[in-house]
Amino acid sequence: MRTNIIKLLLKKELMDVFRDRKAVIMLVLIPILIYPIIFFGSFTVMTLIQSNMEKGEYKILIETEDDGDLIDQINLYNKSKKNRKSENDSLSVIRFEDAVDDYLEENKNISEEDFSEESHQEVVDRLLQGEAVDVYVDTQVDEEGTLIYRTRFVSSITDSDYAETLVKDVLDELADASTRKILTDKGLDADKIMRPFDIERNNIASQEQSIGSILGMILPFMLIISLLMGTMYPAIDATAGEKERGTLETLLTLPIKNHEIIIAKFFTVALMGIISAFLNMISMAVMILYMVKLVSSDVAGNLGLNLRNFRVGTFVPAMTVTILAVLAFSLFISAVTMCITAFAKSYKEANNYITPLTLVVMLTGYIGFIPNIELTKHMALVPVANICLLIKELLLFKAEMGTVVIVLLSNIFYAAFAIFMLSRIYDSESIMFDEGKFGLQLFQRRINMEKGGVPTPGDAWFIIFFVFIVYLLVGSILQLEFGVVGVFASQMIILMLPLAFAIYTKKNLKKTYSIKGFRITDIVAAILLYSGVFIFENIVSNLISVLFPQQYEATDIGLEQTLMGDNIWFTILVVALAPAICEELLFRGFIQSGFKNKYRPVTGIILVSLVFGAYHTSFIRFIPTAMLGGCFAVILYYTESIFLTMIMHFINNTLAVLFMYYPGFFERTFPILSSTEMSVFESVIVTWIGVLMVTAAFLTFRTPPKVVKKRERKGTDAEE
C-alpha cells in the first residue's frame, strides 16, 4: 500500500470538502450551535410559558347550587398564598351577563339576538371557545343526593387548561374544608382522621443521576443526527459530487489503485465525522458547565433543578466511553453513507438516496426517549439504537463492560463490512458508470421505468440494507415483546418490503421470484443435496458447540424461549411455514434474481448465502445458516423453481421445531447426528455419507439453462 499516494489523495479530498460551504456549515456550525439553541430555547420557552401562566387572572363562570361555598373558597384561595401554585395567579368570578357582554364586544359581527335560538349550554361553549370565560362550573345532584361539581373547559387553550387545574385545587380544598366541618361538628379530631399518617419522600438519586437521566434522553438523539449531518455532505461530495463534476473518470485513469481511492475517501468522510463528534462533545461539555452555573439564577429554581452539589468529574468516565462510542459510530455511518451515495450519478440524486437513511436514523434515535428499553446483548447488535442506548446508560451510570464492548465491536464490524461493499462498488464499472442497467431504480420517475425484467444488482443491495435495518430495528423489538407472534410479524416485514419495491418498479414478479414448476428428478436432487448439507451443517454445529460451549448453549436457550409456544402446530406455522415462504421470496427470489445478471453463478450463490447468514444475527449460528442458504441457492440455480427451496426450507425448520418439542425422540432415533461427541470413525462415516449425497444430487440435477445455451451455440457452430 503506497502511503504517499493515499496522503496526496486525502489532501485532495479534504480540499474538495472544505471548498463546499454547505459541508463546512453542517460540520462546524451545527454542532456548535445546536446544543445552545436547543437548551437555551427550551429553558426560555418553559420559563416564559410558566411565568405567563402564573401571572394571569383567570375568569371563572359559576352557576352552582351550593349556597356560595365555592365562591367563598375561591376568595380564600386568592387571599392565601400557602396552597396556590404561584403567588401571582388568581381566580376572578364573572357573571354570565358580563361574560356575554365581553364576548359581544370582542366579536362585533355577532349580536345578542344570535344567542336566542341557542341553548344555555351552547352559549357557554361559545364563551369558552371565544375565551370570554376560562372555566365554567355548575352543579348536579345525583340519585343519592350527592352534590357533583362539574367543570367545563377547553384543553386546547392554554389559559383554560391551566385555570381548570386551579379550579380543581380549589374544589379539593373545599372538599377538605367540608369534611373537616362535618367531623368537627360530630366532636371528632379532623386532623387525625383525615391525615392518619405523614409521608416522607427520600429520593436517593444523586444530582448527577438526575441530570444524567435528562441528558440521556436528549443527547443521544442530538449526537447521532449531528454526526449524520456531519458525514452526509462530505460523503455525497466524495462520491456523487465527483461523478457530477466529471473528475472521477480522470482520477481512475491515473496510476493509482481503487482501494487507495477508497481509503482516501473513507478517511476523509470519517475524519469529518470525527471532527463533528469532537465538536459535539465540546459543545455538550460547555452546556453541562453552563447548567451548573444556572444555580445562581432563578431559572434553575423555576425548572426544578438543584445543581449546587453537582460534580462534573463524575461524568468523566462516561464521557470517555461516549467519545469512543461516537467515534465507532462515525466510522459506521461514514461507510454506510458512502455506500448509498456511490450509486448516485449527481448531487441531487444522492440527496434523494440518503433521505431513507436519514429517516431511519432519526426514527431509531427516538429509542432513547422510550422508557424501560434497556441495552441488552441483543439490542447491543442493533445499529444506531445500540449507540443511543449505550450513551443513555453511560449517563445513568448503568452501562456494563460486556455490552459496551459488544456495541463498539459491532459498529466497527458493520463499518468494515460497509467498506468491503464500497470496494466492490468501486471495482464495478457497470455500477459506477451505468445508465441504469445495474443501478438503483427506486428514485427514477415511475413513468420512465420499463415494465418487466428482474431487479438490478443496485435494487438487490438496496433491499438487503434497507430490509436488514428495518428487520433489526422493528423485528428485534417485536420478537422480544411478543415471542412467536413477533417472529411472524418480522416475517411479514421480510415479505412485504421487497414485494412492494418490485411492484413499484414494475418488475416481472414471475421472473423475479422464479415462479416455475419442477420435475420429479428435481425433488430427488433437492432432497439429496439438502440431506448432504444437513449432515455437514450438523458437523460444523457440533464443532462450534465444542469450541464455544457457553455461547452455543445460550443461543439455543434463547431460540427456544423465543420460538417455543404452547401449541406445536401454531409454532410450525409461524416458525416453519412463514419463513419458508417469506425468506425464500426475499433471498432466493428478489436478491438472487438481482445478482443473476451481474455476478457469476458461484459469486451470486456465495453472496446470497452470506447475506442469509447475516440476517439471522447470530455469530455462533452464522456458518451453519450460511451453509443452509447456499444449499437453497444451488437448488434454485439448477431448478429455477422457488417452490422447491420453500419445501426444503419448510422441512428444515419443521425438523428444528420437532427437535425442540421432542428432543428425546431424535436422540434415540438419530444418535449419531444428535451426539456432540462423535468418534473419529463415526465422523468419517458421516462425512462420506454427506459427500455421496451431495455428489448424487449434482449428478441428478438437470443442466443449468446458461450451460444449455452455450452447448446449443457450440452445436450450431459445428453444423455450420
Side-chain angles (χ1 to χ4, degrees), residues 189-314:
D189 190 337
D191 290 333
K192 288 186 177 181
I193 294 176
M194 295 181 65
R195 192 74 176 180
F197 57 85
D198 289 329
I199 300 174
E200 182 179 322
R201 302 179 65 198
N202 296 302
N203 182 10
I204 64 172
S206 63
Q207 289 297 319
E208 291 78 12
Q209 288 176 316
S210 300
I211 298 301
S213 65
I214 298 174
L215 297 178
M217 290 190 295
I218 302 172
L219 292 187
F221 177 77
M222 297 166 62
L223 280 173
I224 63 169
I225 295 302
S226 57
L227 282 172
L228 177 62
M229 295 297 105
T231 57
M232 184 170 68
Y233 288 101
I236 293 175
D237 187 74
T239 53
E242 193 153 39
K243 287 184 185 180
E244 190 172 20
R245 293 191 297 268
T247 57
L248 182 61
E249 293 88 342
T250 305
L251 190 63
L252 293 174
T253 58
L254 296 175
I256 53 179
K257 299 178 181 178
N258 282 2
H259 70 269
E260 293 172 339
I261 298 175
I262 294 167
I263 291 173
K265 288 181 178 295
F266 173 73
F267 278 167
T268 300
V269 178
L271 181 61
M272 297 300 102
I274 291 170
I275 292 173
S276 177
F278 275 110
L279 289 175
N280 277 279
M281 294 292 102
I282 294 171
S283 183
M284 181 172 62
V286 171
M287 276 309 309
I288 292 175
L289 292 174
Y290 181 80
M291 289 175 65
V292 174
K293 297 296 182 181
L294 284 178
V295 73
S296 61
S297 67
D298 295 333
V299 178
N302 291 335
L303 296 175
L305 299 176
N306 180 15
L307 304 176
R308 195 174 300 277
N309 298 322
F310 178 71
R311 294 170 296 174
V312 179
T314 56

Side-chain angles (χ1 to χ4, degrees), residues 509-519 522-523 526-527 577 579-581 584-585 588-589 632 635-637 639-651 702:
L509 298 182
K510 188 175 180 179
K511 290 183 179 180
T512 298
Y513 290 110
S514 300
I515 300 174
K516 185 180 179 181
F518 52 86
R519 301 182 302 183
D522 293 335
I523 300 177
I527 293 174
L577 182 60
I581 296 174
E584 288 307 308
L585 289 176
R588 262 64 62 180
F632 298 153
I635 292 173
L636 181 70
Y637 170 69
T639 66
E640 294 188 303
S641 175
I642 197 76
F643 298 116
L644 268 179
T645 64
M646 288 181 179
I647 293 171
M648 294 299 106
H649 199 148
F650 175 74
I651 292 173
R702 55 183 168 180

Side-chain angles (χ1 to χ4, degrees), residues 103 173 249 372 424 490 507 530 571:
Y103 179 80
E173 293 175 9
E249 293 88 342
N372 301 325
R424 301 295 299 172
S490 301
K507 304 302 181 206
Y530 168 73
T571 304

Side-chain angles (χ1 to χ4, degrees), residues 393-436:
E393 296 207 350
L394 285 170
L395 294 172
L396 290 172
F397 309 101
K398 292 171 56 179
E400 298 179 358
M401 183 57 66
T403 53
V404 171
V405 173
I406 293 174
V407 171
L408 297 179
L409 291 181
S410 64
N411 276 273
I412 294 173
F413 172 78
Y414 297 147
F417 180 73
I419 294 170
F420 169 75
M421 296 309 305
L422 186 64
S423 67
R424 301 295 299 172
I425 293 171
Y426 268 78
D427 284 339
S428 174
E429 292 185 8
S430 59
I431 294 179
M432 297 300 294
F433 304 107
D434 76 287
E435 295 298 327

Side-chain angles (χ1 to χ4, degrees), residues 42-108:
S42 300
F43 290 163
T44 303
V45 170
M46 290 172 64
T47 304
L48 287 175
I49 291 174
Q50 188 172 0
S51 61
N52 287 335
M53 291 173 63
E54 291 173 351
K55 292 180 180 178
E57 182 178 348
Y58 303 99
K59 294 172 286 188
I60 313 300
L61 176 58
I62 297 176
E63 293 183 337
T64 59
E65 299 178 0
D66 59 355
D67 298 328
D69 291 341
L70 178 56
I71 295 176
D72 293 340
Q73 192 64 42
I74 287 177
N75 293 332
L76 289 174
Y77 176 85
N78 290 333
K79 291 178 182 179
S80 173
K81 297 182 179 180
K82 182 178 179 181
N83 296 324
R84 281 198 280 173
K85 291 182 180 292
S86 170
E87 295 182 0
N88 299 314
D89 60 25
S90 62
L91 300 176
S92 175
V93 179
I94 185 172
R95 295 187 311 126
F96 179 79
E97 293 78 7
D98 295 336
V100 172
D101 292 340
D102 292 343
Y103 179 80
L104 294 176
E105 186 175 348
E106 289 290 331
N107 300 273
K108 303 292 186 181

Side-chain angles (χ1 to χ4, degrees), residues 306-550:
N306 180 15
L307 304 176
R308 195 174 300 277
N309 298 322
F310 178 71
R311 294 170 296 174
V312 179
T314 56
F315 279 94
V316 172
M319 294 308 301
T320 303
V321 180
T322 299
I323 291 173
L324 295 177
V326 170
L327 293 179
F329 182 72
S330 297
L331 298 176
F332 165 68
I333 202 67
S334 301
V336 171
T337 50
M338 289 185 69
C339 280
I340 294 174
T341 56
F343 286 97
K345 296 186 287 293
S346 65
Y347 210 97
K348 182 179 179 181
E349 187 177 347
N351 276 288
N352 292 333
Y353 285 9
I354 211 72
T355 299
L357 176 65
T358 305
L359 294 175
V360 170
V361 171
M362 289 181 64
L363 291 174
T364 309
Y366 280 110
I367 196 170
F369 294 95
I370 303 175
N372 301 325
I373 293 185
E374 298 180 353
L375 183 63
T376 62
K377 291 183 179 179
H378 289 91
M379 291 299 295
L381 297 174
V382 181
V384 183
N386 54 9
I387 291 293
C388 292
L389 293 176
L390 175 61
I391 296 175
K392 182 178 180 179
E393 296 207 350
L394 285 170
L395 294 172
L396 290 172
F397 309 101
K398 292 171 56 179
E400 298 179 358
M401 183 57 66
T403 53
V404 171
V405 173
I406 293 174
V407 171
L408 297 179
L409 291 181
S410 64
N411 276 273
I412 294 173
F413 172 78
Y414 297 147
F417 180 73
I419 294 170
F420 169 75
M421 296 309 305
L422 186 64
S423 67
R424 301 295 299 172
I425 293 171
Y426 268 78
D427 284 339
S428 174
E429 292 185 8
S430 59
I431 294 179
M432 297 300 294
F433 304 107
D434 76 287
E435 295 298 327
K437 183 179 179 182
F438 297 107
L440 179 62
Q441 298 181 340
L442 177 63
F443 297 107
Q444 296 179 14
R445 295 184 64 183
R446 195 166 190 268
I447 194 173
N448 296 331
M449 295 179 185
E450 295 184 5
K451 209 179 255 191
V454 298
T456 64
D459 296 334
W461 283 116
F462 174 80
I463 283 296
I464 288 172
F465 284 109
F466 182 71
V467 176
F468 184 61
I469 291 173
V470 176
Y471 178 75
L472 277 179
L473 298 179
V474 181
S476 299
I477 296 175
L478 290 173
Q479 292 179 28
L480 289 173
E481 291 291 330
F482 304 105
V484 179
V485 178
V487 173
F488 181 79
S490 301
Q491 293 300 317
M492 291 300 102
I493 293 174
I494 290 177
L495 171 66
M496 298 309 298
L497 289 179
L499 180 60
F501 185 100
I503 293 173
Y504 178 79
T505 53
K506 302 180 181 179
K507 304 302 181 206
N508 186 320
L509 298 182
K510 188 175 180 179
K511 290 183 179 180
T512 298
Y513 290 110
S514 300
I515 300 174
K516 185 180 179 181
F518 52 86
R519 301 182 302 183
I520 299 297
T521 54
D522 293 335
I523 300 177
V524 174
I527 293 174
L528 287 171
L529 181 63
Y530 168 73
S531 301
V533 172
F534 179 81
I535 291 174
F536 296 142
E537 179 193 359
N538 191 74
I539 294 173
V540 172
S541 297
N542 289 338
L543 179 62
I544 294 173
S545 68
V546 173
L547 296 175
F548 308 98
Q550 295 181 348

